[in-house]
Amino acid sequence: MHKYIFFSLLSLFSFAAIGQQNKPFIPLMRKIFHDNIDKSQRTIDRLDRKEDKALALTDDPEVNNQVAYSLFNKVDQLQDKIEADSILNSNTKIRLLRGLNEMLGSYDVGYRRRQIKPSWLPDLINSYADAYELDRQGLPITPVIERNNYFIADILVKGVAFDKNVGIVASRELLLLKSAKEYPRQILAILSENPEVSFADSLLRVLARFQPDDVYNYAQSNTGLGNKIRSSEDPLIKAIVQLAGVNEGRLYFPFLDNLYRGKTTVDDLVKVKDDEFKYYRLLVNTQIEYADRMRRRDTPLAMVALTGMLKSKAVESFINVINGLHDSPDNIRMKKVETLNPQELYFLAVMGETEIYTSSYLKVYDRIFQRMKNPNSDTLLLSVNFDHFKKFIKMAANYNKLDDFLRRMNKGNAEIVMRAFASGLDKTGNLEDAVDVADSYASISDKNMQKLILDEIQSNLEKQTNLDNKRGITIYDLLNNIFQSLDTTKKIDLEKKFGIPPIFSVSNSSLMDTSGRIIIQQFFYGDKDGEFIFKSFVAAYTNANWKIVAKPEWIEVTSTKGTPITIFANRPLDELLGLDEQAQANLSIYLRDIEAYPTFVIHRGHSYHVSSTIDQLYYSTRIVLLGSCGGFQNVNRVLSICPYAHIIASKQVGSGTVNSPMIQYMTETLRNGKELNWPKMWKELSIQLKNVNLFEDYIPPYKNLGALFIMAFNRVMDL
């Protein structure tokens, strides 16, 4: 070890000594370009937060030494070589020096964006040197581009250094091909800018089978790529082009696979497209058919389009209708769905997850089994080929119907289904299934069923560990720890383990700023409801415990006893004139000026206002109450801005009859110096609001395990 260190130091000192000898003369006109390179070297040197001509960007000391040697020694060598090169004229030397500096800048940006690994720097600099040597001999740099990965090739091709190389056109086309392999979902966007590349036809044939929706969209465009698609002789592309040229072709497109295979015709589809019941039934039957093929590893064409259209029609034709009639008697409210069979009702539920009201879901759920000759849950799942069954189970758990659902099948089948529910979470391209499992767990009342799911999670964790599957290990390890943390006897500290907040509470001190004050911000909007709610808010805090200071565009409500708290609330000024938005903007500027950053934010507006509130959140916010209808659907968006926020939101109707007492409970608890204990708060509010049915749709932070999972997953993947 000592010998290795001695040799490394000797090499560095030896090079430094040699480097001081025979330095080429640098004319004044090119000195600035060398200075810029020196600055870029220093910028990269600071990536490990120290400027010391050493880099610790990986856990491997040898790799770190190679990176540092390349950055300082090899770059300096290249500078000297360019200056001493008698073949090059001054303009070419300037171009190469500029290109060398661009390369270092691109590495710096790519590293910060996590697109480039630190260990790639030696390859990048060596490749630049190789390309320089080829270029000075009048040879194409294509071999250098071909052997490198996309990111290194991209830096070399797009830089100014080799933009006059004889092989630059071929190199750019090769880069496009590398880009297509690196970003397959962007292939059509790439081809749209370069429709005449030699590999366009072959890529289109592949894309037609994996991204037919995108090919359909481009086939309708009056662009170079659209023309190329329309001129294709490939049978599948021709079928897609035919649909793209038909009126209402989007209604036919979900059935592309059956059309291509000759199992149906456009004429068959024309007969049902204008009848919403027949068209919806055809969508359901095709979805079930395709699900069976997916189970046999046969992926149908346009599956995404089919599911998207099924969701669209389920919501537009049926869910919006029964939601809109929530105050009507059942015989009127549910009339639209009375002719639907169990499978069609099943897909109403799973496709309308984010839109369906609680009361609508419960009525649809009951009707599913009322329509069945043998109302068994396993029979139902078999009849839909288990399509979206994890979503159905998650919804049943959230609406307290899971016990009923599992009772409708024998115990053995119930265990098999629930094990399947908790398995395969690493095999999808997203986290949706894992989030569904997380969301469901807290809603399951059967302790034996909770234990079964936990056992399956732990079994899968062991399998993924044996396979050394990082993503699978992360997913199951997080779920295992989150679920066990609900058992206080396990004493699992999620905050310490994953760097995320506790589940069950928020301490008073964690909400305070450096002066010991808690800053709360409420967003109001200038419609009639906003004006009424604002007046109620002011009235609730007009007492001896609070002092109200009125400003032209907002008010400041400050506690006079107990914990120092200030609530800043903008006035609901005329929204038609944009005065409410202006008031919010000016309040935000004022808060920044006085360095008062809200750790508790409350949205008091309709669902169409919630985006505006979310856009104004702070990274430091720890509690967010979304008091609008359907606020629960914005949880992920909130977490993208406030990654450690506890979020309270309604799945359905947000109401002042719930929001106002909830806000007063929280502010009074904090004013009295106590922590916000979510289970305790929910228990006490459920008694206080026992006659307010809308409270049932509000989800407390400790039951929002899906949000907790996302928070922890993002945290782990960032490490």
Side-chain angles (χ1 to χ4, degrees), residues 680-704:
K680 179 174 181 282
M681 170 177 153
W682 235 253
K683 182 178 180 180
E684 293 180 11
L685 283 176
S686 65
I687 296 172
Q688 181 182 342
L689 302 173
K690 62 181 179 181
N691 295 322
V692 182
N693 293 332
L694 297 176
F695 178 64
E696 296 176 1
D697 287 328
Y698 281 73
I699 307 301
Y702 72 96
K703 284 195 174 183
N704 193 353

Side-chain angles (χ1 to χ4, degrees), residues 61 87 91 176 194 247 281 295 325 337 374 378 401 419 439 466 540 543 559 628:
I87 295 178
N91 287 338
L176 287 174
N194 307 273
N247 285 336
R281 181 160 293 140
R295 185 174 55 82
L325 295 171
V337 302
N374 297 309
D378 38 8
K401 283 293 185 180
R419 288 191 186 281
D439 275 334
N466 292 335
N543 57 62
S559 60
S628 64

Side-chain angles (χ1 to χ4, degrees), residues 40-92:
S40 294
Q41 287 173 304
R42 290 196 296 273
T43 298
I44 294 174
D45 189 11
R46 290 192 295 270
L47 287 176
D48 61 358
R49 301 185 180 181
K50 292 181 292 184
E51 188 177 335
D52 54 3
K53 289 206 170 183
L55 282 166
L57 300 179
T58 76
D59 296 328
D60 188 331
E62 186 173 347
V63 171
N64 291 336
N65 284 337
Q66 291 173 357
V67 172
Y69 179 82
S70 296
L71 175 62
F72 300 111
N73 300 42
K74 287 193 173 182
V75 169
D76 288 351
Q77 288 177 25
L78 273 170
Q79 289 176 259
D80 293 346
K81 188 173 182 179
I82 291 169
E83 276 299 338
D85 197 329
S86 60
I87 295 178
L88 309 179
N89 61 35
S90 180
N91 287 338
T92 302

